[in-house]
Short mmCIF file of all heavy atoms in Angstrom, two decimals:
data_model
loop_
_atom_site.label_atom_id
_atom_site.label_comp_id
_atom_site.label_asym_id
_atom_site.label_seq_id
_atom_site.Cartn_x
_atom_site.Cartn_y
_atom_site.Cartn_z
N LYS A 1 93.35 -75.27 122.29
CA LYS A 1 92.02 -75.18 121.74
C LYS A 1 92.12 -75.15 120.20
O LYS A 1 92.84 -74.38 119.65
CB LYS A 1 91.35 -73.88 122.22
CG LYS A 1 91.15 -73.91 123.68
CD LYS A 1 90.43 -72.60 124.12
CE LYS A 1 90.36 -72.53 125.58
NZ LYS A 1 89.74 -71.32 126.11
N LYS A 2 91.29 -75.95 119.64
CA LYS A 2 91.19 -76.03 118.15
C LYS A 2 89.87 -75.59 117.70
O LYS A 2 88.84 -76.17 118.08
CB LYS A 2 91.46 -77.44 117.66
CG LYS A 2 92.88 -77.99 117.94
CD LYS A 2 92.97 -79.43 117.56
CE LYS A 2 94.30 -79.94 118.01
NZ LYS A 2 94.47 -81.36 117.70
N GLY A 3 89.81 -74.57 116.93
CA GLY A 3 88.51 -74.06 116.49
C GLY A 3 87.74 -73.21 117.49
O GLY A 3 88.10 -73.19 118.61
N GLY A 4 86.76 -72.51 117.02
CA GLY A 4 86.05 -71.58 117.92
C GLY A 4 85.13 -72.31 118.92
O GLY A 4 84.94 -71.70 119.99
N ASP A 5 84.62 -73.46 118.60
CA ASP A 5 83.57 -74.10 119.53
C ASP A 5 84.23 -75.02 120.53
O ASP A 5 83.60 -75.48 121.45
CB ASP A 5 82.55 -74.81 118.70
CG ASP A 5 81.73 -73.86 117.96
OD1 ASP A 5 81.50 -72.68 118.40
OD2 ASP A 5 81.20 -74.24 116.90
N ASN A 6 85.48 -75.37 120.36
CA ASN A 6 86.13 -76.28 121.29
C ASN A 6 86.47 -75.64 122.58
O ASN A 6 87.20 -74.65 122.62
CB ASN A 6 87.42 -76.86 120.65
CG ASN A 6 87.26 -78.23 120.08
OD1 ASN A 6 86.21 -78.84 120.27
ND2 ASN A 6 88.26 -78.70 119.40
N VAL A 7 85.94 -76.16 123.63
CA VAL A 7 86.23 -75.61 125.01
C VAL A 7 86.95 -76.74 125.76
O VAL A 7 86.52 -77.90 125.74
CB VAL A 7 84.91 -75.25 125.69
CG1 VAL A 7 85.22 -74.80 127.12
CG2 VAL A 7 84.14 -74.19 124.95
N GLU A 8 88.07 -76.39 126.29
CA GLU A 8 88.88 -77.37 127.02
C GLU A 8 88.10 -77.74 128.34
O GLU A 8 87.65 -76.88 129.03
CB GLU A 8 90.27 -76.79 127.35
CG GLU A 8 91.18 -77.80 127.89
CD GLU A 8 92.55 -77.29 128.04
OE1 GLU A 8 92.97 -76.55 127.11
OE2 GLU A 8 93.25 -77.58 129.00
N LEU A 9 87.99 -79.04 128.60
CA LEU A 9 87.29 -79.47 129.71
C LEU A 9 88.34 -79.72 130.85
O LEU A 9 89.36 -80.15 130.59
CB LEU A 9 86.59 -80.85 129.44
CG LEU A 9 85.57 -80.86 128.28
CD1 LEU A 9 85.03 -82.25 128.04
CD2 LEU A 9 84.41 -79.90 128.56
N SER A 10 87.86 -79.40 132.07
CA SER A 10 88.68 -79.63 133.22
C SER A 10 87.99 -80.59 134.16
O SER A 10 86.74 -80.62 134.20
CB SER A 10 89.11 -78.34 133.91
OG SER A 10 87.99 -77.82 134.63
N ASN A 11 88.74 -81.26 134.96
CA ASN A 11 88.16 -82.14 136.02
C ASN A 11 87.21 -81.35 136.88
O ASN A 11 86.10 -81.77 137.26
CB ASN A 11 89.27 -82.79 136.84
CG ASN A 11 89.77 -84.04 136.12
OD1 ASN A 11 89.26 -85.16 136.36
ND2 ASN A 11 90.81 -83.88 135.26
N GLU A 12 87.68 -80.14 137.36
CA GLU A 12 86.83 -79.37 138.19
C GLU A 12 85.54 -78.92 137.59
O GLU A 12 84.46 -78.96 138.20
CB GLU A 12 87.65 -78.09 138.68
CG GLU A 12 88.77 -78.35 139.57
CD GLU A 12 90.04 -78.96 138.75
OE1 GLU A 12 90.18 -78.73 137.59
OE2 GLU A 12 90.82 -79.65 139.39
N ASP A 13 85.55 -78.52 136.32
CA ASP A 13 84.33 -78.08 135.64
C ASP A 13 83.35 -79.28 135.46
O ASP A 13 82.22 -79.09 135.72
CB ASP A 13 84.71 -77.57 134.22
CG ASP A 13 85.36 -76.18 134.25
OD1 ASP A 13 85.30 -75.53 135.27
OD2 ASP A 13 86.00 -75.83 133.23
N ILE A 14 83.88 -80.42 135.05
CA ILE A 14 82.93 -81.52 134.89
C ILE A 14 82.41 -82.10 136.22
O ILE A 14 81.28 -82.47 136.30
CB ILE A 14 83.62 -82.67 133.98
CG1 ILE A 14 84.06 -82.11 132.68
CG2 ILE A 14 82.82 -83.91 133.90
CD1 ILE A 14 82.85 -81.64 131.85
N ARG A 15 83.34 -82.06 137.19
CA ARG A 15 82.89 -82.48 138.53
C ARG A 15 81.73 -81.62 139.05
O ARG A 15 80.70 -82.09 139.48
CB ARG A 15 84.02 -82.43 139.54
CG ARG A 15 83.70 -82.91 140.88
CD ARG A 15 84.86 -82.99 141.84
NE ARG A 15 85.96 -83.90 141.41
CZ ARG A 15 87.20 -83.51 140.94
NH1 ARG A 15 87.49 -82.22 140.93
NH2 ARG A 15 87.98 -84.43 140.57
N TYR A 16 81.87 -80.31 138.81
CA TYR A 16 80.78 -79.41 139.21
C TYR A 16 79.48 -79.64 138.43
O TYR A 16 78.39 -79.74 138.99
CB TYR A 16 81.24 -77.93 139.01
CG TYR A 16 80.16 -76.93 139.38
CD1 TYR A 16 79.93 -76.63 140.71
CD2 TYR A 16 79.50 -76.30 138.40
CE1 TYR A 16 78.89 -75.72 141.08
CE2 TYR A 16 78.47 -75.41 138.74
CZ TYR A 16 78.16 -75.08 140.01
OH TYR A 16 77.15 -74.30 140.35
N LYS A 17 79.64 -79.79 137.13
CA LYS A 17 78.47 -80.05 136.26
C LYS A 17 77.79 -81.33 136.66
O LYS A 17 76.55 -81.45 136.64
CB LYS A 17 78.86 -80.08 134.76
CG LYS A 17 79.22 -78.73 134.17
CD LYS A 17 79.54 -78.94 132.72
CE LYS A 17 80.00 -77.67 132.01
NZ LYS A 17 80.35 -77.89 130.62
N LEU A 18 78.57 -82.38 136.89
CA LEU A 18 78.07 -83.63 137.22
C LEU A 18 77.34 -83.56 138.58
O LEU A 18 76.21 -84.03 138.77
CB LEU A 18 79.14 -84.70 137.27
CG LEU A 18 78.74 -86.11 137.61
CD1 LEU A 18 77.63 -86.59 136.76
CD2 LEU A 18 79.95 -87.02 137.57
N PHE A 19 77.97 -82.89 139.59
CA PHE A 19 77.31 -82.75 140.88
C PHE A 19 75.95 -82.06 140.80
O PHE A 19 74.95 -82.45 141.33
CB PHE A 19 78.26 -81.99 141.87
CG PHE A 19 77.70 -81.86 143.22
CD1 PHE A 19 77.66 -82.92 144.12
CD2 PHE A 19 77.20 -80.58 143.64
CE1 PHE A 19 77.08 -82.76 145.33
CE2 PHE A 19 76.72 -80.47 144.87
CZ PHE A 19 76.58 -81.53 145.77
N GLU A 20 75.94 -80.98 140.01
CA GLU A 20 74.73 -80.25 139.80
C GLU A 20 73.72 -81.04 139.05
O GLU A 20 72.48 -80.96 139.40
CB GLU A 20 74.99 -78.88 139.06
CG GLU A 20 75.82 -77.86 139.88
CD GLU A 20 75.04 -77.46 141.11
OE1 GLU A 20 73.84 -77.04 140.95
OE2 GLU A 20 75.67 -77.43 142.17
N TYR A 21 74.06 -81.79 138.10
CA TYR A 21 73.14 -82.64 137.36
C TYR A 21 72.54 -83.69 138.30
O TYR A 21 71.29 -83.87 138.21
CB TYR A 21 73.98 -83.34 136.21
CG TYR A 21 73.18 -84.42 135.49
CD1 TYR A 21 72.43 -84.07 134.39
CD2 TYR A 21 73.29 -85.77 135.94
CE1 TYR A 21 71.72 -85.12 133.75
CE2 TYR A 21 72.57 -86.75 135.18
CZ TYR A 21 71.81 -86.41 134.11
OH TYR A 21 71.08 -87.37 133.47
N LEU A 22 73.33 -84.38 139.06
CA LEU A 22 72.81 -85.36 140.01
C LEU A 22 71.87 -84.72 141.02
O LEU A 22 70.83 -85.34 141.21
CB LEU A 22 73.99 -86.01 140.76
CG LEU A 22 75.00 -86.79 139.95
CD1 LEU A 22 76.11 -87.28 140.81
CD2 LEU A 22 74.33 -87.95 139.25
N LYS A 23 72.17 -83.60 141.45
CA LYS A 23 71.28 -82.89 142.45
C LYS A 23 69.99 -82.44 141.73
O LYS A 23 68.94 -82.66 142.33
CB LYS A 23 72.06 -81.68 143.04
CG LYS A 23 71.41 -81.02 144.20
CD LYS A 23 72.32 -80.07 144.94
CE LYS A 23 72.43 -78.75 144.14
NZ LYS A 23 73.17 -77.71 144.94
N LYS A 24 70.12 -81.89 140.60
CA LYS A 24 68.91 -81.33 139.94
C LYS A 24 67.94 -82.38 139.51
O LYS A 24 66.75 -82.22 139.66
CB LYS A 24 69.35 -80.52 138.73
CG LYS A 24 68.16 -79.82 138.01
CD LYS A 24 68.65 -78.95 136.92
CE LYS A 24 67.48 -78.22 136.24
NZ LYS A 24 67.91 -77.25 135.29
N TYR A 25 68.47 -83.56 138.98
CA TYR A 25 67.59 -84.49 138.42
C TYR A 25 67.43 -85.69 139.41
O TYR A 25 66.64 -86.61 139.02
CB TYR A 25 68.14 -85.00 137.12
CG TYR A 25 68.05 -83.88 136.05
CD1 TYR A 25 69.27 -83.21 135.70
CD2 TYR A 25 66.85 -83.47 135.47
CE1 TYR A 25 69.15 -82.21 134.76
CE2 TYR A 25 66.80 -82.50 134.62
CZ TYR A 25 67.90 -81.83 134.25
OH TYR A 25 67.84 -80.81 133.37
N GLY A 26 67.99 -85.67 140.57
CA GLY A 26 67.75 -86.67 141.51
C GLY A 26 68.21 -88.11 141.19
O GLY A 26 67.56 -89.09 141.63
N VAL A 27 69.23 -88.21 140.35
CA VAL A 27 69.74 -89.52 139.95
C VAL A 27 70.97 -89.83 140.74
O VAL A 27 71.63 -88.90 141.31
CB VAL A 27 70.02 -89.59 138.43
CG1 VAL A 27 68.74 -89.47 137.63
CG2 VAL A 27 70.97 -88.57 137.98
N LYS A 28 71.33 -91.10 140.82
CA LYS A 28 72.51 -91.50 141.55
C LYS A 28 73.70 -91.55 140.61
O LYS A 28 73.53 -91.65 139.46
CB LYS A 28 72.25 -92.94 142.16
CG LYS A 28 71.03 -93.05 142.99
CD LYS A 28 71.38 -92.62 144.37
CE LYS A 28 70.18 -92.86 145.25
NZ LYS A 28 70.19 -92.24 146.48
N HIS A 29 74.93 -91.58 141.24
CA HIS A 29 76.11 -91.64 140.36
C HIS A 29 76.18 -92.98 139.62
O HIS A 29 76.82 -93.08 138.61
CB HIS A 29 77.31 -91.32 141.21
CG HIS A 29 77.69 -92.43 142.20
ND1 HIS A 29 77.16 -92.36 143.51
CD2 HIS A 29 78.46 -93.49 142.11
CE1 HIS A 29 77.57 -93.40 144.19
NE2 HIS A 29 78.41 -94.09 143.39
N THR A 30 75.50 -94.02 140.06
CA THR A 30 75.45 -95.30 139.44
C THR A 30 74.77 -95.16 138.03
O THR A 30 75.15 -95.89 137.08
CB THR A 30 74.73 -96.33 140.22
OG1 THR A 30 73.42 -95.85 140.60
CG2 THR A 30 75.56 -96.71 141.50
N HIS A 31 73.87 -94.17 137.90
CA HIS A 31 73.17 -94.00 136.62
C HIS A 31 74.21 -93.49 135.63
O HIS A 31 74.22 -93.93 134.50
CB HIS A 31 72.04 -92.91 136.90
CG HIS A 31 71.40 -92.44 135.59
ND1 HIS A 31 70.59 -93.17 134.85
CD2 HIS A 31 71.56 -91.22 134.97
CE1 HIS A 31 70.14 -92.54 133.85
NE2 HIS A 31 70.65 -91.23 133.94
N ILE A 32 75.09 -92.55 136.07
CA ILE A 32 76.14 -91.99 135.20
C ILE A 32 77.11 -93.04 134.90
O ILE A 32 77.53 -93.14 133.68
CB ILE A 32 76.82 -90.78 135.83
CG1 ILE A 32 75.80 -89.64 136.10
CG2 ILE A 32 78.01 -90.27 135.01
CD1 ILE A 32 75.15 -89.10 134.83
N ALA A 33 77.45 -93.90 135.77
CA ALA A 33 78.43 -94.98 135.56
C ALA A 33 77.85 -95.92 134.43
O ALA A 33 78.56 -96.29 133.55
CB ALA A 33 78.64 -95.76 136.85
N GLU A 34 76.58 -96.24 134.55
CA GLU A 34 75.93 -97.13 133.49
C GLU A 34 75.96 -96.48 132.11
O GLU A 34 76.30 -97.12 131.15
CB GLU A 34 74.51 -97.44 133.90
CG GLU A 34 74.40 -98.36 135.10
CD GLU A 34 72.96 -98.61 135.60
OE1 GLU A 34 72.07 -98.18 134.89
OE2 GLU A 34 72.81 -99.18 136.71
N LEU A 35 75.60 -95.18 132.09
CA LEU A 35 75.56 -94.49 130.83
C LEU A 35 76.89 -94.30 130.19
O LEU A 35 77.00 -94.25 128.96
CB LEU A 35 74.83 -93.17 130.99
CG LEU A 35 73.37 -93.24 131.36
CD1 LEU A 35 72.80 -91.82 131.62
CD2 LEU A 35 72.54 -93.88 130.24
N THR A 36 77.94 -94.12 130.96
CA THR A 36 79.28 -93.75 130.40
C THR A 36 80.13 -95.01 130.24
O THR A 36 81.08 -94.97 129.51
CB THR A 36 80.04 -92.86 131.37
OG1 THR A 36 80.15 -93.46 132.69
CG2 THR A 36 79.29 -91.55 131.53
N GLY A 37 79.75 -96.13 130.91
CA GLY A 37 80.61 -97.30 130.82
C GLY A 37 81.81 -97.23 131.78
O GLY A 37 82.67 -98.12 131.76
N LEU A 38 81.84 -96.19 132.63
CA LEU A 38 82.88 -96.16 133.60
C LEU A 38 82.37 -96.85 134.93
O LEU A 38 81.17 -96.99 135.13
CB LEU A 38 83.17 -94.65 133.96
CG LEU A 38 83.57 -93.78 132.74
CD1 LEU A 38 83.72 -92.36 133.12
CD2 LEU A 38 84.97 -94.30 132.27
N SER A 39 83.30 -97.22 135.76
CA SER A 39 82.85 -97.97 136.95
C SER A 39 82.22 -97.02 137.95
O SER A 39 82.49 -95.85 137.98
CB SER A 39 84.02 -98.70 137.60
OG SER A 39 84.89 -97.76 138.31
N ASP A 40 81.42 -97.58 138.76
CA ASP A 40 80.71 -96.86 139.84
C ASP A 40 81.78 -96.31 140.80
O ASP A 40 81.58 -95.17 141.19
CB ASP A 40 79.86 -97.90 140.58
CG ASP A 40 79.02 -97.19 141.67
OD1 ASP A 40 78.54 -96.14 141.40
OD2 ASP A 40 78.86 -97.88 142.77
N THR A 41 82.80 -97.06 141.04
CA THR A 41 83.93 -96.54 141.94
C THR A 41 84.64 -95.36 141.36
O THR A 41 84.90 -94.36 142.05
CB THR A 41 84.94 -97.62 142.16
OG1 THR A 41 84.24 -98.80 142.87
CG2 THR A 41 86.02 -97.19 143.17
N THR A 42 84.86 -95.37 140.01
CA THR A 42 85.51 -94.23 139.37
C THR A 42 84.67 -92.95 139.46
O THR A 42 85.23 -91.90 139.79
CB THR A 42 85.74 -94.57 137.88
OG1 THR A 42 86.70 -95.60 137.82
CG2 THR A 42 86.29 -93.39 137.06
N ILE A 43 83.37 -93.12 139.19
CA ILE A 43 82.48 -91.91 139.30
C ILE A 43 82.43 -91.42 140.73
O ILE A 43 82.54 -90.15 140.99
CB ILE A 43 81.07 -92.25 138.74
CG1 ILE A 43 81.12 -92.66 137.29
CG2 ILE A 43 80.11 -91.08 139.01
CD1 ILE A 43 81.62 -91.55 136.34
N CYS A 44 82.31 -92.31 141.63
CA CYS A 44 82.27 -91.91 143.10
C CYS A 44 83.49 -91.20 143.53
O CYS A 44 83.40 -90.10 144.14
CB CYS A 44 81.99 -93.23 143.93
SG CYS A 44 81.76 -92.78 145.74
N LEU A 45 84.69 -91.76 143.22
CA LEU A 45 85.94 -91.12 143.61
C LEU A 45 86.09 -89.80 142.87
O LEU A 45 86.65 -88.86 143.41
CB LEU A 45 87.12 -92.06 143.35
CG LEU A 45 87.17 -93.32 144.27
CD1 LEU A 45 88.32 -94.26 143.87
CD2 LEU A 45 87.42 -92.97 145.74
N PHE A 46 85.72 -89.74 141.65
CA PHE A 46 85.80 -88.50 140.89
C PHE A 46 84.99 -87.33 141.55
O PHE A 46 85.44 -86.26 141.74
CB PHE A 46 85.30 -88.70 139.40
CG PHE A 46 85.24 -87.47 138.63
CD1 PHE A 46 86.39 -86.74 138.23
CD2 PHE A 46 83.95 -86.92 138.16
CE1 PHE A 46 86.32 -85.62 137.51
CE2 PHE A 46 83.90 -85.86 137.43
CZ PHE A 46 85.10 -85.17 137.09
N LEU A 47 83.74 -87.75 141.91
CA LEU A 47 82.87 -86.75 142.62
C LEU A 47 83.43 -86.26 143.93
O LEU A 47 83.29 -85.14 144.36
CB LEU A 47 81.46 -87.35 142.82
CG LEU A 47 80.62 -87.40 141.60
CD1 LEU A 47 79.35 -88.22 141.82
CD2 LEU A 47 80.17 -86.05 141.03
N GLN A 48 84.14 -87.15 144.60
CA GLN A 48 84.74 -86.86 145.88
C GLN A 48 86.08 -86.12 145.76
O GLN A 48 86.73 -85.66 146.70
CB GLN A 48 85.03 -88.09 146.70
CG GLN A 48 83.67 -88.80 147.15
CD GLN A 48 83.98 -90.10 147.84
OE1 GLN A 48 85.13 -90.54 147.96
NE2 GLN A 48 82.92 -90.77 148.19
N GLY A 49 86.53 -85.92 144.49
CA GLY A 49 87.78 -85.18 144.27
C GLY A 49 88.96 -86.09 144.51
O GLY A 49 90.09 -85.53 144.64
N GLN A 50 88.83 -87.44 144.64
CA GLN A 50 89.93 -88.24 144.87
C GLN A 50 90.52 -88.94 143.65
O GLN A 50 91.51 -89.65 143.73
CB GLN A 50 89.47 -89.35 145.94
CG GLN A 50 89.11 -88.79 147.20
CD GLN A 50 88.68 -89.85 148.19
OE1 GLN A 50 88.91 -91.07 147.98
NE2 GLN A 50 87.92 -89.48 149.26
N ARG A 51 89.79 -88.69 142.56
CA ARG A 51 90.38 -89.27 141.25
C ARG A 51 90.23 -88.17 140.17
O ARG A 51 89.18 -87.52 140.08
CB ARG A 51 89.57 -90.51 140.94
CG ARG A 51 90.05 -91.13 139.64
CD ARG A 51 89.61 -92.51 139.42
NE ARG A 51 90.18 -93.40 140.35
CZ ARG A 51 89.87 -94.63 140.58
NH1 ARG A 51 88.92 -95.19 139.85
NH2 ARG A 51 90.49 -95.40 141.46
N TYR A 52 91.25 -88.08 139.36
CA TYR A 52 91.21 -87.22 138.21
C TYR A 52 91.06 -88.07 136.96
O TYR A 52 91.62 -89.18 136.91
CB TYR A 52 92.44 -86.36 138.14
CG TYR A 52 92.40 -85.26 139.21
CD1 TYR A 52 92.95 -85.54 140.43
CD2 TYR A 52 91.92 -84.03 138.93
CE1 TYR A 52 92.89 -84.55 141.47
CE2 TYR A 52 91.89 -83.04 139.87
CZ TYR A 52 92.32 -83.31 141.14
OH TYR A 52 92.23 -82.29 142.06
N LEU A 53 90.26 -87.63 136.02
CA LEU A 53 89.94 -88.38 134.82
C LEU A 53 90.65 -87.76 133.56
O LEU A 53 90.94 -86.53 133.50
CB LEU A 53 88.50 -88.45 134.61
CG LEU A 53 87.67 -89.04 135.68
CD1 LEU A 53 86.17 -89.00 135.32
CD2 LEU A 53 88.08 -90.46 135.96
N SER A 54 90.97 -88.65 132.65
CA SER A 54 91.61 -88.24 131.35
C SER A 54 90.56 -87.45 130.57
O SER A 54 89.33 -87.59 130.78
CB SER A 54 92.04 -89.44 130.61
OG SER A 54 90.94 -90.23 130.22
N LEU A 55 91.06 -86.66 129.62
CA LEU A 55 90.25 -85.86 128.78
C LEU A 55 89.17 -86.73 128.05
O LEU A 55 87.96 -86.34 128.01
CB LEU A 55 91.06 -85.08 127.73
CG LEU A 55 90.23 -84.11 126.89
CD1 LEU A 55 89.45 -83.13 127.67
CD2 LEU A 55 91.22 -83.40 125.98
N PRO A 56 89.49 -87.94 127.48
CA PRO A 56 88.41 -88.67 126.84
C PRO A 56 87.32 -89.07 127.79
O PRO A 56 86.16 -89.04 127.38
CB PRO A 56 89.24 -89.91 126.31
CG PRO A 56 90.65 -89.50 126.14
CD PRO A 56 90.84 -88.45 127.25
N LYS A 57 87.62 -89.43 129.01
CA LYS A 57 86.61 -89.81 130.00
C LYS A 57 85.78 -88.56 130.44
O LYS A 57 84.57 -88.68 130.52
CB LYS A 57 87.21 -90.43 131.17
CG LYS A 57 87.77 -91.80 130.93
CD LYS A 57 88.41 -92.43 132.12
CE LYS A 57 88.99 -93.85 131.79
NZ LYS A 57 89.72 -94.37 132.95
N LEU A 58 86.40 -87.38 130.51
CA LEU A 58 85.63 -86.17 130.76
C LEU A 58 84.68 -85.83 129.64
O LEU A 58 83.55 -85.44 129.91
CB LEU A 58 86.61 -85.01 131.00
CG LEU A 58 87.50 -85.05 132.21
CD1 LEU A 58 88.52 -83.93 132.23
CD2 LEU A 58 86.67 -85.06 133.53
N GLU A 59 85.14 -86.07 128.40
CA GLU A 59 84.32 -85.81 127.26
C GLU A 59 83.08 -86.72 127.26
O GLU A 59 81.92 -86.33 126.92
CB GLU A 59 85.09 -85.99 126.00
CG GLU A 59 86.09 -84.88 125.76
CD GLU A 59 87.05 -85.09 124.63
OE1 GLU A 59 87.16 -86.24 124.15
OE2 GLU A 59 87.64 -84.11 124.14
N ILE A 60 83.27 -87.99 127.61
CA ILE A 60 82.19 -88.98 127.68
C ILE A 60 81.16 -88.50 128.73
O ILE A 60 79.97 -88.44 128.46
CB ILE A 60 82.71 -90.36 128.02
CG1 ILE A 60 83.48 -90.94 126.87
CG2 ILE A 60 81.52 -91.30 128.40
CD1 ILE A 60 84.21 -92.21 127.23
N ILE A 61 81.64 -88.13 129.91
CA ILE A 61 80.70 -87.69 130.98
C ILE A 61 79.93 -86.46 130.52
O ILE A 61 78.74 -86.33 130.65
CB ILE A 61 81.47 -87.42 132.34
CG1 ILE A 61 81.93 -88.70 132.83
CG2 ILE A 61 80.59 -86.71 133.24
CD1 ILE A 61 82.90 -88.60 134.06
N ASN A 62 80.73 -85.49 129.96
CA ASN A 62 80.03 -84.26 129.50
C ASN A 62 78.99 -84.53 128.36
O ASN A 62 77.88 -83.98 128.44
CB ASN A 62 81.15 -83.26 128.96
CG ASN A 62 80.60 -81.93 128.76
OD1 ASN A 62 80.03 -81.34 129.63
ND2 ASN A 62 80.84 -81.40 127.55
N ARG A 63 79.33 -85.41 127.47
CA ARG A 63 78.39 -85.75 126.43
C ARG A 63 77.14 -86.38 127.01
O ARG A 63 75.98 -85.99 126.56
CB ARG A 63 79.04 -86.68 125.41
CG ARG A 63 78.58 -86.67 124.01
CD ARG A 63 79.37 -87.35 122.99
NE ARG A 63 80.31 -88.36 123.49
CZ ARG A 63 81.59 -88.20 123.38
NH1 ARG A 63 82.16 -87.21 122.82
NH2 ARG A 63 82.42 -89.17 123.78
N VAL A 64 77.27 -87.28 127.92
CA VAL A 64 76.10 -87.94 128.55
C VAL A 64 75.26 -86.94 129.27
O VAL A 64 74.01 -86.94 129.20
CB VAL A 64 76.59 -89.07 129.48
CG1 VAL A 64 75.47 -89.55 130.45
CG2 VAL A 64 77.05 -90.26 128.73
N ILE A 65 75.84 -86.03 130.04
CA ILE A 65 75.16 -85.05 130.77
C ILE A 65 74.35 -84.16 129.86
O ILE A 65 73.18 -83.92 130.02
CB ILE A 65 75.99 -84.22 131.69
CG1 ILE A 65 76.58 -85.03 132.86
CG2 ILE A 65 75.34 -83.06 132.22
CD1 ILE A 65 77.73 -84.31 133.56
N GLN A 66 75.01 -83.71 128.80
CA GLN A 66 74.29 -82.75 127.82
C GLN A 66 73.21 -83.47 127.10
O GLN A 66 72.18 -82.90 126.87
CB GLN A 66 75.42 -82.25 126.80
CG GLN A 66 76.47 -81.34 127.44
CD GLN A 66 75.84 -80.12 128.20
OE1 GLN A 66 74.95 -79.53 127.79
NE2 GLN A 66 76.46 -79.87 129.33
N HIS A 67 73.46 -84.67 126.71
CA HIS A 67 72.44 -85.48 126.01
C HIS A 67 71.24 -85.71 126.88
O HIS A 67 70.12 -85.60 126.50
CB HIS A 67 73.04 -86.80 125.49
CG HIS A 67 72.01 -87.69 124.80
ND1 HIS A 67 71.52 -87.40 123.55
CD2 HIS A 67 71.34 -88.80 125.21
CE1 HIS A 67 70.68 -88.35 123.17
NE2 HIS A 67 70.49 -89.18 124.20
N ASP A 68 71.45 -86.15 128.11
CA ASP A 68 70.37 -86.43 129.07
C ASP A 68 69.56 -85.17 129.33
O ASP A 68 68.33 -85.27 129.42
CB ASP A 68 70.92 -87.04 130.39
CG ASP A 68 70.69 -88.46 130.52
OD1 ASP A 68 70.40 -89.12 129.54
OD2 ASP A 68 70.74 -88.97 131.61
N ILE A 69 70.23 -84.05 129.49
CA ILE A 69 69.46 -82.79 129.75
C ILE A 69 68.59 -82.46 128.61
O ILE A 69 67.39 -82.00 128.76
CB ILE A 69 70.45 -81.65 130.05
CG1 ILE A 69 71.16 -81.94 131.46
CG2 ILE A 69 69.75 -80.32 130.06
CD1 ILE A 69 72.28 -80.92 131.73
N LYS A 70 69.07 -82.64 127.38
CA LYS A 70 68.26 -82.38 126.21
C LYS A 70 66.99 -83.29 126.10
O LYS A 70 65.99 -82.89 125.52
CB LYS A 70 69.10 -82.42 124.92
CG LYS A 70 70.09 -81.33 124.86
CD LYS A 70 70.99 -81.53 123.61
CE LYS A 70 72.09 -80.39 123.64
NZ LYS A 70 73.01 -80.59 122.54
N GLN A 71 67.14 -84.50 126.58
CA GLN A 71 66.14 -85.51 126.45
C GLN A 71 64.96 -85.25 127.58
O GLN A 71 63.86 -85.79 127.37
CB GLN A 71 66.61 -86.88 126.62
CG GLN A 71 67.63 -87.33 125.55
CD GLN A 71 67.04 -87.28 124.19
OE1 GLN A 71 65.94 -87.72 123.98
NE2 GLN A 71 67.71 -86.71 123.25
N MET A 72 65.34 -84.51 128.64
CA MET A 72 64.38 -84.37 129.71
C MET A 72 63.40 -83.23 129.46
O MET A 72 63.55 -82.33 128.76
CB MET A 72 65.11 -84.17 131.05
CG MET A 72 65.85 -85.34 131.43
SD MET A 72 66.63 -85.11 133.05
CE MET A 72 67.15 -86.82 133.30
#
């Protein structure tokens, strides 16, 4: 961790946040794939716990989720 505001992201944390986001806002994982530039298959497998993502990809998903929530 660097600095006070940096929180280390984990696959489990982002998977949970993403699952809750999809459920709460009623969007499909394809919506997240489009917004992040990741493939639909990657997002699907990630949600199923069959794929782990690198930190940069986790940061992209987290950023999209946080930005979208602020816009709603």
Side-chain angles (χ1 to χ4, degrees):
K1 296 180 185 178
K2 297 176 185 176
D5 293 332
N6 259 352
V7 176
E8 191 172 318
L9 302 175
S10 74
N11 276 269
E12 292 76 23
D13 289 341
I14 298 302
R15 185 177 293 114
Y16 177 78
K17 286 181 183 180
L18 181 55
F19 180 75
E20 290 298 312
Y21 172 87
L22 296 175
K23 191 166 76 171
K24 182 174 183 176
Y25 294 104
V27 296
K28 305 274 186 196
H29 66 274
T30 53
H31 173 72
I32 298 298
E34 290 173 10
L35 293 175
T36 59
L38 300 172
S39 75
D40 184 40
T41 302
T42 295
I43 298 297
C44 184
L45 291 174
F46 175 68
L47 284 168
Q48 294 174 2
Q50 296 179 20
R51 179 165 292 172
Y52 288 87
L53 301 178
S54 65
L55 184 58
K57 289 179 181 175
L58 294 174
E59 289 171 341
I60 291 169
I61 292 172
N62 192 50
R63 208 170 17 248
V64 165
I65 291 172
Q66 296 303 322
H67 178 74
D68 252 18
I69 289 172
K70 291 176 185 175
Q71 298 299 316
M72 295 184 166

